[in-house]
Structures are given as structure tokens and as C-alpha cells.
Amino acid sequence: MDDPVLLTGAGGRVGQAILSRLADEYDWRLLDREPIPEERRHGVPESASFVADVTDDAAVADAVAGCGAVIHLAGDPRPDAPWDSVLANNIDGTQTVFSAAVDAGVEKVAFASSNHAVGAYETDERTPEMYRADDDYRLDGEELPRPSNLYGVSKASGETLGRYYHDHADLDVVCVRIGNLTEGHPPREYERGQAMWLSHRDCAHLFDRCLAADYGYEIVYGISDNDRKYYSIERAKEVLGYDPQDNSAEYTFEGEPKNDPATE
Amino acid sequence: MDDPVLLTGAGGRVGQAILSRLADEYDWRLLDREPIPEERRHGVPESASFVADVTDDAAVADAVAGCGAVIHLAGDPRPDAPWDSVLANNIDGTQTVFSAAVDAGVEKVAFASSNHAVGAYETDERTPEMYRADDDYRLDGEELPRPSNLYGVSKASGETLGRYYHDHADLDVVCVRIGNLTEGHPPREYERGQAMWLSHRDCAHLFDRCLAADYGYEIVYGISDNDRKYYSIERAKEVLGYDPQDNSAEYTFEGEPKNDPATE
């Protein structure tokens, strides 16, 4: 990708995992609701940094002009976010970004979806066994959404918006259902978090592949190659060339496991 | 269903198809954005008729209080409706209705989804053959959405909201992807419309079954038993006891067929 790449939500957790490792690989444009301090721009000049809300049509159009790709992370990231916030920031904001990307002639958009789009597959009958290495239950991205919360509803809606813009505007779209992103090591004492752990380096590599690979419309799971996984990463490997380096099983922690999705 | 049933969008096309045939079968409460004239209330007293927008939390809560079920039809019905309208009326409005239904202790909600939630499966490669009786391509409700338009995106979002409220509040939800509802006879010179025709009597019967049957969460197709169909009605038959009486093949029309979804 030689053209500039717009990273929305660049100042947030996922944005920083990507930007801190890929700052020199692309001609970045950053967008965030708050000004991004210099140490979080990782060398990207302030002149390529836009302070705007993703629901602001004109500001998003300005930021995306001339870009070849978008990584769209911006939105309310709270699993317990109230409806009005996810309606505006996540659903309306994602429509704004897809629409502006199409108008600007962008080739591809990687959209940050979430494990919460499918969290209700973790039924009482399946848990906690499904979080364990010897359990072979898998979600592969072809299943219908079963959100954990209204935040998850908003992410599923974003995936459907991506499908629409792919079908109607020939935009390449990959939706990444991001697991549990933590820096340095997997969540401690949290089987569910270890099952869906995404290390920072695997996160950066996965979005790097989203910018480099050729695809049409895809829903993939964004997790490391964890022994405990119940999300298939086969599609990400096959279509994107994802080659994760981490596995939460390589870390051992003492203590009782917890499996409350609210602690993610 | 002995408790009252709230019918949102009661003055609209689908509402009238239902109410004109089932007025005496339930204790109806009607809700519409515009006052419903007497001849369209089909004997339901004005005192059971609410004039309110479905995005008005308090008004919807008032209308649904004491109800045992809801048929939720209200929303912007235009396939070419702009984003801001479907975001407010269809997505936010549907969230308001589901949330109010749960708060009121409603048992079941039948949600009017649309063929436009999956219209982009009608690809250039598949059409017009898929609209014909000798073609065996079928959608069955387990496929991911592929909307025709932003209206279809909004309907898919409503289905996902229903999934969320079913999983988290034990609300029974059936999403009916309504085909092409016309009175008297199928669309003329329109193969696609004949494939997804829903007669008025089959429509009323289908929603009657949605109120009478037991289910958890379902997505079904709402069409008559058309020879030309590419939507499976097996799930509606099996789970709801749907027994359609009509088939567009029983009507013959002269003229060249058209297959433009915009004419629906």
C-alpha cells in the first residue's frame, strides 16, 4: 500500500498496538477525537493528524481524501457502553467512515469488530469447557451474530455495513473480531481472556496483513494462536496470510480462573 | 395470546394486511406515527390507538404496558430511504421497541425484517435464473445478511437487536423477512416480485402464527408458497406452523418480465 493509510481511533489501545510497530511501514494519517500527544504518534507528523469525531462527515471526508486504505478503529470501546453512544459513535460513525472511504476511492477498509459481536455463543452449557484446550468448539466467522451487549450489536451492524459497501461499491472489507488485546502477557486468572488473547505483535501483524492482502469481504477472528482458542483463525491464515507468533499457553499463572466477560 | 397485542406501524401496508383479517382475533393496541382513521382501525377503538414515534421511549413504554406480545412493523419502509432516516426510525426505533417490550414483561416480539436484508445474494451471476421455478437456489435464514441498500442494513441490525434481547432477556423473537406484499394478485411482469410474493391472506396467517407458536429466536422468510421461490419457507412451516395458501404461479400475466429490485 503506497497511498496513505487512515487510522481512525489512532490514540486508542488497538491503534497504539498497530502504530507503535508499523509507524515506518506506511504513510499514515491519524484520526482521533482527542489530540494525539507526540509520544503516541510514533513519528507521524502532527500535520497528518486529524482531530475529529467519526460522525462528522466533512471532517472524515477531509481525513480520508487521497488515502488507499483505512483501518477503522474509532468508536466507543466499552462493552457496557449505553445504546445512545454506540448508536452514534459505532453505528453512525462506521457508516460515515465507509461512505467517505467509497467517495474517496479507497481500495480497502479493515474494520475493528469485536468478540462481543458473538459473545452470546458462550452459553452456560458450553462454558467454561469451551475456553479450554481440549474442547473443539469453534466459531469461524460464518455464524450469525449473537452479541454479548449493545456494544456487540453495534459491531455486528458495522460488519453488515461493510458487507453492503463491498457489494455495492466494490470496496474490499475485512472485519476483524478482536479478542482480548493485552500488552506483554495474556490476562491472568481469566480462562476466557486466555482463549481469545491477542498479543500486541500479533495484532500489528494481523492489521499489516489486512493492508497487504487481497480479499473481497471477510470476517476473521483476531486472536493469537492460543491452545485455548474457540475462534478459528484458519480463514485469517488462508486469506490474509496471518501467521501469529504468540500463544497464551506459553504463559503460566497461578490462581483461580475467572470467566466473566465483563472483566475484559 | 389473551393479553393485548401491540401492533406498531398499524396504519401501514403490512399492518393493514394483518389487522383487516385478524381484528377480531386479538385484543389489539395500535401505534402509528399518524392518527389512524376509523376505517383503518377495523373496529379497534380509538382509545386503544396510540399516536407516537417509535423512537419516543416514554410513548412506546406507555403503549406496550400490559401487552403479552408485539408485532413491530413501524419504521421507514422505503428501500431507498436515506441513512439518517433508517438509523433513527428503523435501528433506534427497533431498539426502543425491544427494550420497552422487555421492561414491560412481554413474551414475544415478531419483527418485520425484509428481503432487502439479503438482497445482494441476487448477484448478476444468479439472476434472473434464481427467480425461476426450475432453479433450486435457496436462502434459509441462516445466511449472513447481504443488504440491498441501507434500509436492508437497518433491518439486519434489527434482527441482531432481536438476537441480543432473546439471549439476554429471554424474550421470544421471530424476524420475518417479508417479501413482496401485494393485494389481490402478485406483481405483474416482475419475476423477482413473483418469486417473493406474499399475499395478504398468507401475511395475516403468518403473523397470526407468530403470535400463537412457541419459539426462541427465529429468522424466517415471509412469502407465499410460490413455485418461483428462492427463499425457503421450511423453517416457518416447521417452527411456526405456517401453512400458506397462495402461489404466484396460479396467476398468469402477459408481457416482458422485469427484475429491478427498485420497483418493489
Side-chain angles (χ1 to χ4, degrees), chain A residues 111-124:
Chain A
F111 166 62
S113 185
S114 167
N115 66 85
H116 288 284
V118 290
Y121 281 100
E122 298 165 41
T123 58
D124 290 346

PDB file of all heavy atoms in Angstrom, chain A residues 111-124:
ATOM      1  N   PHE A 111     -11.996  -3.168   9.353  1.00  0.00           N
ATOM      2  CA  PHE A 111     -12.903  -2.673  10.389  1.00  0.00           C
ATOM      3  C   PHE A 111     -12.713  -3.469  11.669  1.00  0.00           C
ATOM      4  O   PHE A 111     -12.766  -4.696  11.660  1.00  0.00           O
ATOM      5  CB  PHE A 111     -14.354  -2.793   9.903  1.00  0.00           C
ATOM      6  CG  PHE A 111     -15.393  -2.623  10.972  1.00  0.00           C
ATOM      7  CD1 PHE A 111     -15.504  -1.424  11.667  1.00  0.00           C
ATOM      8  CD2 PHE A 111     -16.263  -3.655  11.293  1.00  0.00           C
ATOM      9  CE1 PHE A 111     -16.462  -1.257  12.671  1.00  0.00           C
ATOM     10  CE2 PHE A 111     -17.229  -3.502  12.291  1.00  0.00           C
ATOM     11  CZ  PHE A 111     -17.320  -2.307  12.980  1.00  0.00           C
ATOM     12  N   ALA A 112     -12.517  -2.747  12.770  1.00  0.00           N
ATOM     13  CA  ALA A 112     -12.358  -3.397  14.075  1.00  0.00           C
ATOM     14  C   ALA A 112     -13.708  -3.799  14.630  1.00  0.00           C
ATOM     15  O   ALA A 112     -14.416  -3.000  15.236  1.00  0.00           O
ATOM     16  CB  ALA A 112     -11.653  -2.458  15.051  1.00  0.00           C
ATOM     17  N   SER A 113     -14.084  -5.057  14.401  1.00  0.00           N
ATOM     18  CA  SER A 113     -15.237  -5.632  15.068  1.00  0.00           C
ATOM     19  C   SER A 113     -14.750  -6.223  16.397  1.00  0.00           C
ATOM     20  O   SER A 113     -13.630  -5.929  16.832  1.00  0.00           O
ATOM     21  CB  SER A 113     -15.903  -6.679  14.186  1.00  0.00           C
ATOM     22  OG  SER A 113     -17.086  -7.157  14.796  1.00  0.00           O
ATOM     23  N   SER A 114     -15.566  -7.009  17.013  1.00  0.00           N
ATOM     24  CA  SER A 114     -15.236  -7.447  18.376  1.00  0.00           C
ATOM     25  C   SER A 114     -15.775  -8.831  18.667  1.00  0.00           C
ATOM     26  O   SER A 114     -16.802  -9.253  18.115  1.00  0.00           O
ATOM     27  CB  SER A 114     -15.859  -6.472  19.377  1.00  0.00           C
ATOM     28  OG  SER A 114     -15.834  -6.989  20.690  1.00  0.00           O
ATOM     29  N   ASN A 115     -15.091  -9.516  19.589  1.00  0.00           N
ATOM     30  CA  ASN A 115     -15.602 -10.773  20.146  1.00  0.00           C
ATOM     31  C   ASN A 115     -17.012 -10.576  20.718  1.00  0.00           C
ATOM     32  O   ASN A 115     -17.780 -11.540  20.804  1.00  0.00           O
ATOM     33  CB  ASN A 115     -14.643 -11.307  21.194  1.00  0.00           C
ATOM     34  CG  ASN A 115     -14.555 -10.422  22.423  1.00  0.00           C
ATOM     35  OD1 ASN A 115     -15.365 -10.539  23.337  1.00  0.00           O
ATOM     36  ND2 ASN A 115     -13.565  -9.524  22.476  1.00  0.00           N
ATOM     37  N   HIS A 116     -17.363  -9.357  21.100  1.00  0.00           N
ATOM     38  CA  HIS A 116     -18.690  -9.125  21.679  1.00  0.00           C
ATOM     39  C   HIS A 116     -19.816  -9.226  20.655  1.00  0.00           C
ATOM     40  O   HIS A 116     -20.986  -9.285  21.032  1.00  0.00           O
ATOM     41  CB  HIS A 116     -18.724  -7.776  22.394  1.00  0.00           C
ATOM     42  CG  HIS A 116     -17.940  -7.780  23.667  1.00  0.00           C
ATOM     43  ND1 HIS A 116     -18.398  -8.382  24.816  1.00  0.00           N
ATOM     44  CD2 HIS A 116     -16.704  -7.305  23.958  1.00  0.00           C
ATOM     45  CE1 HIS A 116     -17.488  -8.254  25.768  1.00  0.00           C
ATOM     46  NE2 HIS A 116     -16.446  -7.612  25.279  1.00  0.00           N
ATOM     47  N   ALA A 117     -19.466  -9.238  19.360  1.00  0.00           N
ATOM     48  CA  ALA A 117     -20.496  -9.464  18.336  1.00  0.00           C
ATOM     49  C   ALA A 117     -21.050 -10.886  18.414  1.00  0.00           C
ATOM     50  O   ALA A 117     -22.148 -11.156  17.921  1.00  0.00           O
ATOM     51  CB  ALA A 117     -19.937  -9.195  16.939  1.00  0.00           C
ATOM     52  N   VAL A 118     -20.286 -11.789  19.017  1.00  0.00           N
ATOM     53  CA  VAL A 118     -20.683 -13.205  19.086  1.00  0.00           C
ATOM     54  C   VAL A 118     -20.586 -13.778  20.505  1.00  0.00           C
ATOM     55  O   VAL A 118     -20.579 -15.000  20.703  1.00  0.00           O
ATOM     56  CB  VAL A 118     -19.836 -14.072  18.122  1.00  0.00           C
ATOM     57  CG1 VAL A 118     -20.186 -13.768  16.667  1.00  0.00           C
ATOM     58  CG2 VAL A 118     -18.333 -13.866  18.349  1.00  0.00           C
ATOM     59  N   GLY A 119     -20.540 -12.895  21.499  1.00  0.00           N
ATOM     60  CA  GLY A 119     -20.313 -13.339  22.884  1.00  0.00           C
ATOM     61  C   GLY A 119     -21.393 -14.248  23.445  1.00  0.00           C
ATOM     62  O   GLY A 119     -21.126 -15.047  24.350  1.00  0.00           O
ATOM     63  N   ALA A 120     -22.605 -14.154  22.911  1.00  0.00           N
ATOM     64  CA  ALA A 120     -23.686 -14.970  23.476  1.00  0.00           C
ATOM     65  C   ALA A 120     -23.667 -16.418  22.996  1.00  0.00           C
ATOM     66  O   ALA A 120     -24.492 -17.228  23.432  1.00  0.00           O
ATOM     67  CB  ALA A 120     -25.052 -14.332  23.206  1.00  0.00           C
ATOM     68  N   TYR A 121     -22.699 -16.764  22.121  1.00  0.00           N
ATOM     69  CA  TYR A 121     -22.468 -18.190  21.860  1.00  0.00           C
ATOM     70  C   TYR A 121     -21.847 -18.870  23.078  1.00  0.00           C
ATOM     71  O   TYR A 121     -21.834 -20.100  23.164  1.00  0.00           O
ATOM     72  CB  TYR A 121     -21.546 -18.382  20.643  1.00  0.00           C
ATOM     73  CG  TYR A 121     -22.254 -18.211  19.316  1.00  0.00           C
ATOM     74  CD1 TYR A 121     -22.162 -17.022  18.610  1.00  0.00           C
ATOM     75  CD2 TYR A 121     -23.012 -19.243  18.771  1.00  0.00           C
ATOM     76  CE1 TYR A 121     -22.804 -16.851  17.386  1.00  0.00           C
ATOM     77  CE2 TYR A 121     -23.661 -19.085  17.549  1.00  0.00           C
ATOM     78  CZ  TYR A 121     -23.558 -17.892  16.871  1.00  0.00           C
ATOM     79  OH  TYR A 121     -24.207 -17.737  15.671  1.00  0.00           O
ATOM     80  N   GLU A 122     -21.315 -18.057  23.988  1.00  0.00           N
ATOM     81  CA  GLU A 122     -20.729 -18.616  25.213  1.00  0.00           C
ATOM     82  C   GLU A 122     -21.841 -18.884  26.230  1.00  0.00           C
ATOM     83  O   GLU A 122     -21.987 -18.195  27.232  1.00  0.00           O
ATOM     84  CB  GLU A 122     -19.686 -17.640  25.762  1.00  0.00           C
ATOM     85  CG  GLU A 122     -18.538 -17.419  24.786  1.00  0.00           C
ATOM     86  CD  GLU A 122     -17.695 -16.202  25.148  1.00  0.00           C
ATOM     87  OE1 GLU A 122     -17.420 -15.990  26.328  1.00  0.00           O
ATOM     88  OE2 GLU A 122     -17.329 -15.448  24.207  1.00  0.00           O
ATOM     89  N   THR A 123     -22.633 -19.896  25.940  1.00  0.00           N
ATOM     90  CA  THR A 123     -23.791 -20.214  26.780  1.00  0.00           C
ATOM     91  C   THR A 123     -23.360 -20.924  28.062  1.00  0.00           C
ATOM     92  O   THR A 123     -22.243 -21.438  28.162  1.00  0.00           O
ATOM     93  CB  THR A 123     -24.751 -21.139  26.010  1.00  0.00           C
ATOM     94  OG1 THR A 123     -24.021 -22.320  25.639  1.00  0.00           O
ATOM     95  CG2 THR A 123     -25.277 -20.457  24.750  1.00  0.00           C
ATOM     96  N   ASP A 124     -24.255 -20.965  29.003  1.00  0.00           N
ATOM     97  CA  ASP A 124     -23.978 -21.672  30.261  1.00  0.00           C
ATOM     98  C   ASP A 124     -23.596 -23.127  30.006  1.00  0.00           C
ATOM     99  O   ASP A 124     -22.762 -23.691  30.711  1.00  0.00           O
ATOM    100  CB  ASP A 124     -25.213 -21.624  31.168  1.00  0.00           C
ATOM    101  CG  ASP A 124     -25.463 -20.218  31.699  1.00  0.00           C
ATOM    102  OD1 ASP A 124     -24.556 -19.367  31.594  1.00  0.00           O
ATOM    103  OD2 ASP A 124     -26.572 -19.980  32.198  1.00  0.00           O
TER     104      ASP A 124
END
